[in-house]
Amino acid sequence: MSAGTLDKNTTIDLRKKHVGPSCKIFFSHDPIKIVRAKGQYMYDEKGQRYLDCINNVAHVGHCHPDVVKAGAQQMEQLNTNSRFLHDNLVLYAQKLQATLPSKLSVCYFVNSGSEANDLALRLAWQYTGHKDIITLENAYHGHVSSLIDISPYKFHQLSDAEHNPSVHVAPSPDVYRGKYRADHPDPATAYADEVKNIIEKVDKKGGKIAAFIAESLQSCGGQVIPPVGYFQQVAKHVREAGGVFIADEVQVGFGRVGSHFWAFQLQGDDFVPDIVTMGKPIGNGHPMSCVVTTTEVAEAFMSTGMEYFNTFGGNPVSCAIGLAVLDVIVKDDLQGNAVRVGRYLVSQLEKQKEKHSLIGDIRGCGLFVGVELVRDRVKLTPAAAEAQEVIYKLKEQHILLSADGPHRNVLKFKPPMCFSAEDVDEVVQKIDHILTEGRRLRPEQSTRSSTHQTRQTRQDMKPPVRKHI
Amino acid sequence: MSAGTLDKNTTIDLRKKHVGPSCKIFFSHDPIKIVRAKGQYMYDEKGQRYLDCINNVAHVGHCHPDVVKAGAQQMEQLNTNSRFLHDNLVLYAQKLQATLPSKLSVCYFVNSGSEANDLALRLAWQYTGHKDIITLENAYHGHVSSLIDISPYKFHQLSDAEHNPSVHVAPSPDVYRGKYRADHPDPATAYADEVKNIIEKVDKKGGKIAAFIAESLQSCGGQVIPPVGYFQQVAKHVREAGGVFIADEVQVGFGRVGSHFWAFQLQGDDFVPDIVTMGKPIGNGHPMSCVVTTTEVAEAFMSTGMEYFNTFGGNPVSCAIGLAVLDVIVKDDLQGNAVRVGRYLVSQLEKQKEKHSLIGDIRGCGLFVGVELVRDRVKLTPAAAEAQEVIYKLKEQHILLSADGPHRNVLKFKPPMCFSAEDVDEVVQKIDHILTEGRRLRPEQSTRSSTHQTRQTRQDMKPPVRKHI
């Protein structure tokens, strides 16, 4: 193979020629060519190191030797479909189940978060016999057609005629910028009542709710942490209407929140979803994914007599890799690290907030942290261009961070789980420097109460980094 | 890891407990536990060898060392998403493109045939602005919800109310059992005219055709080889209506047909689809897949401004594996082998046809061969129970074969491409023995012109093996 030998411009030219133009690249005016990675560091073709604050897929660290070894050894032995018995499949299902409430006991192995969420919808439709889906504002659940339908993050770009009339959008439970904020006496109930209202409206029009789906913490939607108790109340309303609760853990599961293995567990032990979908970190980059549900839902799905077969899903290599990832999370105490380093990251960012008025909000759990930039702390005017500037200047200094949310003004931290206190110091110091420098160049910004529209990003920063890795 | 150490009953029990019951296993009354595989052979936990006549996914042979090495080496170096530049991605896209007509130049890398076919529909909908899809009788295109909608192989199990009204089913171009047979003067035109009629009916009802989709050779549908010229005529009708032609090569691509790299090329050089989807064999078992289309379709898809991002699609490990598979196909002359061994297989089966009246038809190209069993060569009464008996008796003799098609009476050969003449001798001899024995036990069957219903499969053979690997 001649891989790894092209000069960068040739790589760019070939990509333009042969890769779909809808497939965007980071920093398109000056993209990065990464040739190797280890832990939380990536290296370009010149050997330059980048600190990776964003690759939540490389969960236990890029190229973790235990994961690589498990995959390579199994590839040598056998890689076939799940129509044959194999121990890796059942041992992995058993081990994964052990991280969940006992009621969630039946697994379906698939290849991607998109396949998982689509299957979750199929399970919900079949189990309930209903059709309507409630999703959250700014949600992103995947790229297959059924999921574009339930992803306002995507479908807001389409015309009204293209919206699926069976999909209903509830307000994002965002207590910083949303409809009910931190000063509300009971935002959990207020947001859950919005879902209840939708159910009632759908009912009046003759619809029936099949499912409510939400990420346990909204990621692309702007690192939103729903108020505790919200999911319990939503689940109550949805189940009373005959629907199920689907928790999408594709971005936030596998211990990222530190204190718990699954982010939905932050809501309390009294909350158990009917269906959980997982993906990205599950195989540390290997294409695999899973849906877990109850025996009741699984049996209803079987009752049609329609077989479910997924060619690659649950193959021995994927399961060997999945098992290794679960082992490494424990062995390397990555949940403990997420608690400690996440807490340190938030504390260091809080100091920056005291210093820079551009920082409006810091929120997160473990190594899932959002920093919302605003031009005015009262009016919450989104500082999208400034967020882009931070991202681009960090990139020049070899740190990878991204901005997301509906206004693209939320800096998103979701690094490999081996991220260290030293890494926190490095990135926070550089953010401090960039914000200080920015204030020096645009002194009016730090104090004014801007009411005008978010400025366009600078020409050389376009297109804005819109991402959901 | 404790993988590979459970006794078989424990594996079975854990599978029942933790794996979705809709996920069927081969030979469910006595499933096979496979622990390793090499080339065209699989081995169970006792070291018993099985000859594999069915795993088209293990395309260049199970655990091919070049593929394993390419995957393992890249896993050690880097595995990240396609938002960073990487040579593997562009070199692979370039090499894949070189196997296709030059017009098909833009690739989208995804994780499964289902993701590929769903994306193909999205491309077609966006490019044409139309909604209606024409699919073939007995077609199977994948397991995500949009594809169940276009897969009569699956949706015939659903109630009428669940059928998507924008999906229209054309007759399968099956010249053995279909509407127009080998004795028809021009079955290609006759079948294409059926598609034309559907387009006219849809048009009258105010619908608009977005795409016609078909496997280049129907696989689950019963190893159907469409008459030459059919695709050209269908494409003409569909394009005149503003739609596109999607060729699904997920099961049959990558040189399986021997004479050509892609099965659609069997129709002649004057036929070029607008979109080609590929999967299964592409990574020899690694979860990966691809959609290739024209610059016109790709640009229309981009024009919405909606990014297409696939977390795992086109990652450096998948592309390294994809490159290795392409190299091995050439290096090991697997297309040449498919021509030679496929021809020998058909010739040996033809001799069996002379001997056993149960064999109604033998059809295929390269190492994609179907043997249709019938109780009556004039009435074509499907011999489904007999097909199951062959499959089960072969399994007892450690040969893996399957039966499919709408009547489950077509024996499907689609082995790893390293299948040898000796392997042909082994399986054909055993089929001969089984059919001879069956005739001895049921002498009336070989001569009678049965008009009664296909007999139920024997109790111990249930459920019938319904598969589409």
Side-chain angles (χ1 to χ4, degrees):
Chain A
M1 270 190 309
S2 50
T5 58
L6 304 177
D7 84 36
K8 191 169 170 178
N9 287 332
T10 308
T11 310
I12 293 171
D13 291 346
L14 277 175
R15 183 165 167 136
K16 277 184 188 151
K17 196 168 170 190
H18 291 306
V19 175
S22 311
C23 305
K24 300 294 185 200
I25 197 154
F26 283 136
F27 309 107
S28 56
H29 72 296
D30 182 24
I32 307 171
K33 183 165 175 174
I34 295 292
V35 298
R36 65 184 181 91
K38 198 84 194 163
Q40 64 274 47
Y41 306 111
M42 303 182 90
Y43 300 85
D44 72 10
E45 78 284 8
K46 292 174 184 159
Q48 175 63 54
R49 196 196 83 168
Y50 285 78
L51 173 62
D52 181 358
C53 306
I54 54 173
N55 269 299
N56 55 345
V57 173
H59 191 62
V60 300
H62 288 279
C63 304
H64 194 289
D66 292 8
V67 178
V68 172
K69 190 178 164 195
Q73 284 185 344
Q74 187 57 52
M75 281 173 75
E76 277 180 16
Q77 284 287 311
L78 174 70
N79 192 15
T80 192
N81 67 64
S82 63
R83 286 219 175 89
F84 300 98
L85 290 174
H86 199 280
D87 288 346
N88 287 7
L89 175 73
V90 299
L91 290 170
Y92 183 48
Q94 186 182 39
K95 203 157 192 167
L96 203 52
Q97 199 289 311
T99 66
L100 287 157
S102 58
K103 205 183 136 191
L104 293 163
S105 63
V106 185
C107 303
Y108 297 84
F109 293 101
V110 298
N111 306 301
S112 67
S114 290
E115 284 194 359
N117 281 331
D118 181 88
L119 177 57
L121 295 181
R122 289 187 62 201
L123 290 168
W125 285 322
Q126 184 61 40
Y127 174 68
T128 64
H130 299 172
K131 197 175 160 194
D132 291 69
I133 305 288
I134 302 175
T135 187
L136 290 181
E137 217 177 356
N138 310 319
Y140 176 68
H141 294 292
H143 52 71
V144 301
S145 48
S146 62
L147 304 177
I148 301 291
D149 276 2
I150 63 164
S151 295
Y153 182 81
K154 286 285 180 182
F155 75 58
H156 75 90
Q157 294 173 56
L158 303 176
S159 69
D160 283 349
E162 292 171 284
H163 292 182
N164 184 329
S166 304
V167 175
H168 314 280
V169 181
S172 170
D174 173 357
V175 295
Y176 178 67
R177 178 183 289 284
K179 194 166 176 180
Y180 310 106
R181 299 186 180 175
D183 59 356
H184 188 282
D186 185 1
T189 302
Y191 279 117
D193 283 348
E194 294 276 340
V195 175
K196 192 180 170 196
N197 291 342
I198 290 173
I199 294 171
E200 284 164 4
K201 275 185 200 161
V202 170
D203 186 60
K204 273 181 196 151
K205 287 184 184 170
K208 299 269 182 205
I209 301 299
F212 170 89
I213 183 168
E215 284 186 278
S216 299
L217 309 173
Q218 259 196 345
S219 184
C220 299
Q223 312 279 96
V224 175
I225 318 290
V228 169
Y230 171 65
F231 280 0
Q232 285 89 330
Q233 293 189 61
V234 168
K236 184 172 168 287
H237 299 319
V238 170
R239 286 173 186 151
E240 280 171 5
V244 297
F245 191 114
I246 303 170
D248 177 342
E249 292 269 343
V250 171
Q251 299 229 34
V252 294
F254 290 90
R256 174 157 297 279
V257 299
S259 58
H260 298 79
F261 200 82
W262 301 105
F264 73 77
Q265 295 170 323
L266 292 167
Q267 292 272 315
D269 290 342
D270 57 334
F271 173 66
V272 180
D274 300 290
I275 301 172
V276 176
T277 60
M278 35 193 89
K280 297 187 191 289
I282 190 171
N284 217 45
H286 184 81
M288 57 185 287
S289 196
C290 188
V291 181
V292 187
T293 189
T294 63
T295 52
E296 291 75 20
V297 171
E299 279 164 15
F301 189 59
M302 189 184 60
S303 70
T304 57
M306 194 190 285
E307 178 183 351
Y308 181 78
F309 178 62
N310 189 305
T311 300
F312 305 128
N315 71 67
V317 173
S318 297
C319 293
I321 285 173
L323 278 163
V325 169
L326 291 180
D327 286 345
V328 172
I329 291 172
V330 175
K331 187 181 132 193
D332 292 1
D333 186 27
L334 294 177
Q335 276 187 254
N337 192 63
V339 169
R340 290 184 297 272
V341 178
R343 193 181 293 143
Y344 182 64
L345 172 63
V346 169
S347 73
Q348 295 306 93
L349 289 168
E350 288 290 354
K351 288 182 193 159
Q352 296 302 312
K353 187 179 166 189
E354 286 167 21
K355 205 166 157 187
H356 303 287
S357 63
L358 200 68
I359 298 180
D361 191 35
I362 294 157
R363 51 185 181 257
C365 310
L367 284 170
F368 182 82
V369 174
V371 180
E372 181 149 359
L373 302 189
V374 293
R375 294 212 191 129
D376 182 306
R377 286 187 177 176
V378 177
K379 295 184 175 158
L380 309 188
T381 323
E386 292 83 346
Q388 289 299 315
E389 191 162 324
V390 170
I391 298 307
Y392 274 77
K393 290 207 163 152
L394 282 175
K395 182 248 186 183
E396 285 166 13
Q397 296 171 68
H398 311 115
I399 293 188
L400 301 170
L401 195 67
S402 68
D404 214 330
H407 307 285
R408 315 280 174 218
N409 67 324
V410 182
L411 306 178
K412 285 173 76 173
F413 286 88
K414 48 188 178 70
M417 295 273 283
C418 49
F419 207 69
S420 71
E422 292 71 32
D423 300 324
V424 168
D425 289 337
E426 185 179 343
V427 61
V428 174
Q429 270 171 25
K430 287 184 175 166
I431 289 174
D432 182 17
H433 184 77
I434 292 165
L435 294 181
T436 305
E437 189 71 3
R439 198 162 52 180
R440 198 176 59 76
L441 295 174
R442 295 190 306 274
E444 82 287 1
Q445 281 218 188
S446 62
T447 51
R448 71 174 175 191
S449 293
S450 170
T451 55
H452 59 66
Q453 287 288 301
T454 304
R455 292 177 314 153
Q456 282 297 304
T457 53
R458 284 190 350 220
Q459 192 56 36
D460 68 344
M461 291 179 183
K462 281 184 178 175
V465 183
R466 293 208 313 250
K467 51 173 305 298
H468 32 82
I469 55 171
Chain B
M1 269 191 308
S2 50
T5 58
L6 303 178
D7 82 35
K8 191 169 169 179
N9 287 331
T10 308
T11 310
I12 293 171
D13 290 347
L14 277 174
R15 184 163 167 138
K16 279 185 188 150
K17 195 169 171 190
H18 291 308
V19 175
S22 311
C23 304
K24 301 294 185 199
I25 198 154
F26 283 136
F27 309 105
S28 56
H29 71 296
D30 182 26
I32 307 171
K33 182 165 175 174
I34 295 292
V35 299
R36 67 186 180 89
K38 199 82 193 164
Q40 64 273 47
Y41 306 111
M42 304 182 89
Y43 300 86
D44 72 11
E45 79 283 9
K46 292 174 184 159
Q48 174 63 54
R49 196 196 83 169
Y50 285 78
L51 173 61
D52 181 359
C53 305
I54 55 175
N55 269 299
N56 55 343
V57 173
H59 191 62
V60 301
H62 288 278
C63 304
H64 194 291
D66 292 9
V67 178
V68 171
K69 190 177 165 194
Q73 284 185 345
Q74 187 56 53
M75 279 173 75
E76 276 179 18
Q77 285 286 310
L78 174 69
N79 192 15
T80 192
N81 67 64
S82 63
R83 286 219 175 88
F84 301 98
L85 290 174
H86 199 279
D87 288 346
N88 288 7
L89 175 73
V90 299
L91 289 170
Y92 183 48
Q94 187 183 38
K95 203 156 193 168
L96 203 52
Q97 199 288 311
T99 67
L100 286 158
S102 58
K103 206 183 136 192
L104 292 164
S105 64
V106 185
C107 304
Y108 297 85
F109 292 101
V110 298
N111 306 301
S112 67
S114 290
E115 284 193 1
N117 281 332
D118 181 88
L119 178 57
L121 294 181
R122 290 187 59 201
L123 291 167
W125 285 322
Q126 185 60 40
Y127 174 68
T128 63
H130 299 173
K131 197 175 160 195
D132 291 68
I133 305 289
I134 302 175
T135 186
L136 290 181
E137 216 178 356
N138 310 319
Y140 176 69
H141 293 292
H143 54 70
V144 302
S145 48
S146 62
L147 303 177
I148 300 292
D149 276 2
I150 63 164
S151 296
Y153 182 81
K154 286 284 183 185
F155 76 57
H156 74 90
Q157 295 173 55
L158 302 176
S159 68
D160 282 351
E162 292 170 284
H163 293 182
N164 184 327
S166 304
V167 175
H168 314 280
V169 181
S172 169
D174 173 356
V175 296
Y176 178 67
R177 177 183 290 285
K179 194 166 175 180
Y180 310 107
R181 300 185 181 177
D183 58 355
H184 187 281
D186 185 2
T189 302
Y191 279 116
D193 283 348
E194 293 275 342
V195 174
K196 193 180 170 197
N197 291 342
I198 289 173
I199 294 171
E200 285 165 5
K201 276 186 199 159
V202 169
D203 186 60
K204 275 182 195 150
K205 287 184 184 169
K208 298 268 183 208
I209 302 298
F212 170 89
I213 183 168
E215 285 185 278
S216 299
L217 310 173
Q218 260 196 345
S219 184
C220 299
Q223 312 279 96
V224 174
I225 318 292
V228 169
Y230 171 66
F231 280 180
Q232 285 89 330
Q233 293 190 61
V234 168
K236 183 173 168 285
H237 300 319
V238 169
R239 286 171 186 151
E240 279 171 6
V244 297
F245 191 113
I246 303 170
D248 176 343
E249 291 269 344
V250 171
Q251 299 230 31
V252 294
F254 290 90
R256 175 157 297 279
V257 300
S259 58
H260 297 81
F261 200 81
W262 302 105
F264 72 77
Q265 294 170 323
L266 293 167
Q267 293 272 314
D269 289 342
D270 57 334
F271 173 66
V272 180
D274 302 289
I275 300 173
V276 175
T277 60
M278 34 192 89
K280 298 188 190 288
I282 190 171
N284 217 44
H286 183 82
M288 58 185 288
S289 197
C290 187
V291 182
V292 187
T293 189
T294 62
T295 51
E296 292 74 20
V297 172
E299 277 163 16
F301 189 59
M302 190 183 61
S303 70
T304 57
M306 194 191 286
E307 178 183 350
Y308 181 77
F309 177 62
N310 189 305
T311 300
F312 305 128
N315 70 67
V317 174
S318 297
C319 292
I321 287 174
L323 278 163
V325 168
L326 292 180
D327 286 345
V328 173
I329 291 172
V330 174
K331 188 181 131 194
D332 292 1
D333 186 27
L334 294 178
Q335 276 187 255
N337 192 63
V339 169
R340 290 184 297 272
V341 177
R343 193 181 293 144
Y344 182 63
L345 172 62
V346 168
S347 72
Q348 295 306 93
L349 289 168
E350 289 289 354
K351 287 182 194 160
Q352 295 301 313
K353 188 179 166 190
E354 287 168 20
K355 204 169 157 187
H356 302 287
S357 63
L358 200 69
I359 299 179
D361 192 34
I362 294 158
R363 51 186 180 256
C365 310
L367 284 170
F368 182 81
V369 174
V371 180
E372 181 149 0
L373 301 190
V374 293
R375 294 210 191 132
D376 182 306
R377 286 186 177 175
V378 178
K379 295 184 174 158
L380 309 187
T381 322
E386 292 83 346
Q388 289 299 314
E389 191 163 324
V390 170
I391 298 307
Y392 275 77
K393 289 207 164 154
L394 282 175
K395 182 250 185 181
E396 285 166 14
Q397 296 172 68
H398 311 113
I399 293 189
L400 300 169
L401 194 67
S402 67
D404 214 330
H407 306 287
R408 315 282 174 217
N409 67 324
V410 182
L411 306 179
K412 286 173 76 173
F413 286 87
K414 47 189 180 68
M417 295 273 283
C418 49
F419 207 70
S420 71
E422 292 71 33
D423 300 325
V424 169
D425 289 337
E426 186 179 344
V427 62
V428 174
Q429 270 171 23
K430 287 185 175 165
I431 289 175
D432 182 16
H433 184 77
I434 293 165
L435 294 182
T436 304
E437 189 72 5
R439 197 164 51 178
R440 198 177 58 75
L441 295 174
R442 295 189 305 274
E444 84 286 1
Q445 282 219 184
S446 60
T447 51
R448 71 174 176 193
S449 293
S450 170
T451 54
H452 59 65
Q453 287 287 303
T454 303
R455 291 178 315 153
Q456 283 298 304
T457 53
R458 285 193 348 222
Q459 193 55 36
D460 69 344
M461 290 179 183
K462 281 185 177 174
V465 184
R466 292 207 313 251
K467 51 171 308 294
H468 31 82
I469 55 172

